[in-house]
Amino acid sequence: MILVTGGCGFIGANFVLDWINIVKEPVIVLDKLTYAGNINNLDSLRHSPELIFIKGDINDPPLVESILTQHRPRAMLNFAAESHVDRSIRKPDDFIHTNINGTFCLLENARQYWQHLSGNEKEAFRFLQVSTDEVYGSLTAQDPAFSETTPYHPKNPYSASKAAADHLVSAFHHTYGMPTLITNCSNNYGPYQFPEKLIPLLILNALQNKPLFIYGDGLQIRDWLYVKDHCEGIRKVLADSPIGETFNIGGNFEKTNLEVVHTVCNILDQLKPAKHSYKTLITHIEDRPGHDRRYAIDSKKIQTKLNWQPTETFESGIRKTIQWYLDNLAWFDTLKNNNHYQNWINSHYKESAT
Ligand code: NAD
Ligand code: DAU
């Protein structure tokens, strides 16, 4: 079996659902169930003998040790993180606790566990760190896309904490020979994404006739990847990569935030027409401090070495995503009515509004 941390979050849950469906191998999920973790994301596996769920913190050494000793996973995949840039700007503390110290705790326990394995078990063991393209910093319009050799230059507390974690993972490979892998991915979208991130927040706000907040001029660029394509990339890296390698994973769909919001509005205008186009809700507000201008991913390495390609275009993936949220309004409603979520939205956008 494998151990997946953060398996109740957006990407982790998609990964676990696809893993059990496609690979059919048991999974232990270790998740603290922070505001972003939602056990309902794994509802379809509630009675599955293939899922073992453990509520807990990755930064709890005795707990991590006991899980490894008891279940003896053949791989650990670390998705657990504080993941929202805006929250990291307002209050970085939890980002240090989970993203840096938590990753260190997993690595230390993995090292003890792996060193005591032998034979095939030791040979096969892997520690895979799920990371982000934000560690590379920000590009100008003319810069080439991030490759695996682009120097790290993180610019906000979230990306700095992820960069620190990546450095620890690399150091454990170089120092102890640990069989680690790192994936650096671009912006994901798809089912089960917590509606504090751009795309689900736009959909949810549009459906409630609320403003669609765009930071600054909205000309910042992100590379968008459908979450299930990201999960397939991770499966390929885990299965086929030599140890110690890093892979960038991206959709090759660079879009400005204005292009994203217009696309979301156009599709909603078709699927759920309202009195006026949803575009009338677009509202520019103060920019994010230190806002990275452009991310772009060069994913040639994973394409050529591991034969991975995204299956969705931005147009097909975003349509599927919007349809999923429309079909799962009950999932949305539970989050929408949650006090913690409302407090974040009210305080963040009240303070940001100009
Ligand atoms: P998310 O915020 O939706 O989910 C994070 C999950 O981790 C939640 O289930 C949460 O409960 C859990 N968690 C948080 N702190 C924990 C702790 N101390 N112990 C145990 N569990 C804890 O995040 P996501 O968007 O699914 O991102 C998953 C991973 O992918 C993160 O490492 C993130 O940095 C990385 N990533 C995300 C994106 C993206 O676009 N969302 C892109 C590239 C990389
Ligand atoms: O690039 C990968 C990263 O993508 C991941 O590592 C992060 O975990 C993930 O959150 C994401 O970071 P971003 O900051 O790019 O994502 P977010 O959805 O917060 O914002 C996308 C863009 O939209 C960004 O330029 C900020 C802008 N934005 C965001 C929000 C929430 C707005 O204009 N308005 C908003 O309300």
Short mmCIF file of all heavy atoms in Angstrom, two decimals, residues 5-8 29-35 37-38 53-59 63 80 82 94 97-98:
data_model
loop_
_atom_site.label_atom_id
_atom_site.label_comp_id
_atom_site.label_asym_id
_atom_site.label_seq_id
_atom_site.Cartn_x
_atom_site.Cartn_y
_atom_site.Cartn_z
N THR A 5 -0.39 11.78 2.23
CA THR A 5 -0.73 12.83 3.21
C THR A 5 -1.50 13.92 2.48
O THR A 5 -1.25 14.20 1.31
CB THR A 5 0.54 13.42 3.84
OG1 THR A 5 1.27 14.10 2.82
CG2 THR A 5 1.41 12.34 4.46
N GLY A 6 -2.46 14.53 3.20
CA GLY A 6 -3.26 15.58 2.57
C GLY A 6 -4.26 15.03 1.57
O GLY A 6 -4.69 15.75 0.65
N GLY A 7 -4.67 13.79 1.76
CA GLY A 7 -5.55 13.12 0.79
C GLY A 7 -7.01 13.56 0.85
O GLY A 7 -7.82 13.07 0.06
N CYS A 8 -7.34 14.50 1.76
CA CYS A 8 -8.71 15.03 1.78
C CYS A 8 -8.77 16.43 1.19
O CYS A 8 -9.82 17.08 1.20
CB CYS A 8 -9.26 15.05 3.21
SG CYS A 8 -9.43 13.40 3.88
N VAL A 29 -4.62 7.34 4.11
CA VAL A 29 -4.65 8.79 4.01
C VAL A 29 -4.40 9.36 5.41
O VAL A 29 -5.12 9.02 6.36
CB VAL A 29 -6.01 9.29 3.47
CG1 VAL A 29 -6.15 10.80 3.68
CG2 VAL A 29 -6.15 8.96 1.99
N LEU A 30 -3.37 10.20 5.52
CA LEU A 30 -3.12 10.94 6.77
C LEU A 30 -3.45 12.40 6.50
O LEU A 30 -2.82 13.02 5.63
CB LEU A 30 -1.64 10.80 7.19
CG LEU A 30 -1.19 11.72 8.33
CD1 LEU A 30 -1.95 11.42 9.62
CD2 LEU A 30 0.32 11.57 8.57
N ASP A 31 -4.46 12.91 7.18
CA ASP A 31 -4.88 14.29 6.93
C ASP A 31 -5.36 14.92 8.23
O ASP A 31 -6.11 14.30 8.98
CB ASP A 31 -6.00 14.31 5.86
CG ASP A 31 -6.20 15.69 5.27
OD1 ASP A 31 -6.49 16.62 6.04
OD2 ASP A 31 -6.06 15.85 4.04
N LYS A 32 -4.94 16.16 8.45
CA LYS A 32 -5.29 16.87 9.68
C LYS A 32 -6.72 17.42 9.62
O LYS A 32 -7.27 17.87 10.62
CB LYS A 32 -4.29 18.02 9.86
CG LYS A 32 -4.32 18.75 11.16
CD LYS A 32 -3.19 19.80 11.16
CE LYS A 32 -3.26 20.73 12.35
NZ LYS A 32 -2.21 21.75 12.28
N LEU A 33 -7.29 17.41 8.42
CA LEU A 33 -8.61 18.03 8.19
C LEU A 33 -8.62 19.48 8.67
O LEU A 33 -9.38 19.87 9.55
CB LEU A 33 -9.74 17.22 8.84
CG LEU A 33 -9.96 15.82 8.25
CD1 LEU A 33 -11.13 15.12 8.93
CD2 LEU A 33 -10.16 15.84 6.74
N THR A 34 -7.73 20.28 8.09
CA THR A 34 -7.75 21.73 8.31
C THR A 34 -8.98 22.27 7.60
O THR A 34 -9.75 21.50 6.99
CB THR A 34 -6.50 22.39 7.71
OG1 THR A 34 -6.57 22.23 6.27
CG2 THR A 34 -5.21 21.78 8.24
N TYR A 35 -9.14 23.57 7.58
CA TYR A 35 -10.29 24.17 6.89
C TYR A 35 -10.38 23.68 5.43
O TYR A 35 -11.45 23.60 4.85
CB TYR A 35 -10.19 25.71 6.92
CG TYR A 35 -9.19 26.23 5.91
CD1 TYR A 35 -9.58 26.56 4.62
CD2 TYR A 35 -7.83 26.30 6.22
CE1 TYR A 35 -8.66 26.98 3.67
CE2 TYR A 35 -6.91 26.71 5.28
CZ TYR A 35 -7.33 27.05 4.02
OH TYR A 35 -6.42 27.44 3.07
N GLY A 37 -9.30 20.70 4.28
CA GLY A 37 -9.47 19.25 4.16
C GLY A 37 -10.93 18.88 4.35
O GLY A 37 -11.58 19.37 5.27
N ASN A 38 -11.43 18.04 3.49
CA ASN A 38 -12.86 17.71 3.53
C ASN A 38 -13.02 16.21 3.34
O ASN A 38 -12.80 15.68 2.24
CB ASN A 38 -13.55 18.49 2.39
CG ASN A 38 -15.05 18.33 2.41
OD1 ASN A 38 -15.59 17.47 3.12
ND2 ASN A 38 -15.74 19.15 1.63
N PHE A 53 -8.29 5.70 6.63
CA PHE A 53 -8.17 7.13 6.90
C PHE A 53 -7.68 7.36 8.33
O PHE A 53 -8.22 6.79 9.27
CB PHE A 53 -9.51 7.85 6.70
CG PHE A 53 -9.45 9.29 7.14
CD1 PHE A 53 -8.69 10.21 6.42
CD2 PHE A 53 -10.09 9.71 8.30
CE1 PHE A 53 -8.57 11.52 6.85
CE2 PHE A 53 -9.98 11.03 8.73
CZ PHE A 53 -9.23 11.93 7.99
N ILE A 54 -6.65 8.19 8.47
CA ILE A 54 -6.14 8.54 9.81
C ILE A 54 -6.14 10.06 9.92
O ILE A 54 -5.50 10.75 9.11
CB ILE A 54 -4.71 7.99 10.02
CG1 ILE A 54 -4.75 6.46 9.95
CG2 ILE A 54 -4.14 8.45 11.37
CD1 ILE A 54 -3.39 5.82 9.81
N LYS A 55 -6.88 10.56 10.91
CA LYS A 55 -6.87 12.02 11.12
C LYS A 55 -5.66 12.38 11.97
O LYS A 55 -5.50 11.87 13.08
CB LYS A 55 -8.16 12.46 11.82
CG LYS A 55 -8.21 13.95 11.98
CD LYS A 55 -9.50 14.47 12.56
CE LYS A 55 -9.33 15.97 12.75
NZ LYS A 55 -10.32 16.57 13.56
N GLY A 56 -4.79 13.23 11.45
CA GLY A 56 -3.61 13.62 12.23
C GLY A 56 -2.71 14.54 11.44
O GLY A 56 -2.91 14.79 10.25
N ASP A 57 -1.69 15.01 12.17
CA ASP A 57 -0.79 16.04 11.65
C ASP A 57 0.48 15.38 11.09
O ASP A 57 1.06 14.51 11.76
CB ASP A 57 -0.43 16.96 12.84
CG ASP A 57 0.21 18.27 12.42
OD1 ASP A 57 0.92 18.29 11.39
OD2 ASP A 57 0.01 19.27 13.13
N ILE A 58 0.94 15.83 9.93
CA ILE A 58 2.21 15.28 9.41
C ILE A 58 3.38 15.70 10.30
O ILE A 58 4.45 15.12 10.23
CB ILE A 58 2.49 15.70 7.94
CG1 ILE A 58 2.56 17.23 7.79
CG2 ILE A 58 1.46 15.11 7.00
CD1 ILE A 58 3.17 17.68 6.46
N ASN A 59 3.14 16.69 11.13
CA ASN A 59 4.20 17.17 12.02
C ASN A 59 4.04 16.56 13.41
O ASN A 59 4.17 17.26 14.42
CB ASN A 59 4.13 18.70 12.07
CG ASN A 59 5.43 19.32 12.51
OD1 ASN A 59 6.42 18.61 12.71
ND2 ASN A 59 5.44 20.62 12.69
N LEU A 63 3.18 9.76 15.72
CA LEU A 63 2.06 9.28 14.88
C LEU A 63 2.60 8.76 13.54
O LEU A 63 2.25 7.66 13.09
CB LEU A 63 1.05 10.41 14.64
CG LEU A 63 -0.06 10.06 13.63
CD1 LEU A 63 -0.97 8.95 14.19
CD2 LEU A 63 -0.91 11.29 13.28
N ALA A 80 0.19 17.04 1.67
CA ALA A 80 -0.30 17.90 2.76
C ALA A 80 0.44 19.23 2.76
O ALA A 80 1.67 19.26 2.73
CB ALA A 80 -0.10 17.20 4.10
N GLU A 82 -0.28 23.81 3.63
CA GLU A 82 -1.07 25.03 3.55
C GLU A 82 -0.80 25.55 2.15
O GLU A 82 0.36 25.70 1.76
CB GLU A 82 -0.61 26.04 4.61
CG GLU A 82 -0.98 25.64 6.03
CD GLU A 82 -2.49 25.64 6.26
OE1 GLU A 82 -3.21 26.40 5.59
OE2 GLU A 82 -2.94 24.87 7.13
N ASP A 94 1.29 29.00 9.95
CA ASP A 94 0.91 27.61 9.65
C ASP A 94 1.68 27.06 8.45
O ASP A 94 1.85 25.85 8.31
CB ASP A 94 -0.59 27.51 9.34
CG ASP A 94 -1.44 27.77 10.58
OD1 ASP A 94 -0.89 27.74 11.69
OD2 ASP A 94 -2.65 28.03 10.41
N HIS A 97 4.89 25.73 9.86
CA HIS A 97 4.63 24.51 10.66
C HIS A 97 4.41 23.31 9.73
O HIS A 97 5.04 22.26 9.90
CB HIS A 97 3.40 24.73 11.54
CG HIS A 97 2.92 23.48 12.22
ND1 HIS A 97 3.40 23.05 13.43
CD2 HIS A 97 2.01 22.53 11.84
CE1 HIS A 97 2.81 21.93 13.78
NE2 HIS A 97 1.96 21.59 12.82
N THR A 98 3.52 23.46 8.77
CA THR A 98 3.16 22.29 7.95
C THR A 98 4.13 22.08 6.80
O THR A 98 4.65 20.98 6.59
CB THR A 98 1.72 22.45 7.41
OG1 THR A 98 0.83 22.34 8.51
CG2 THR A 98 1.39 21.39 6.38
#
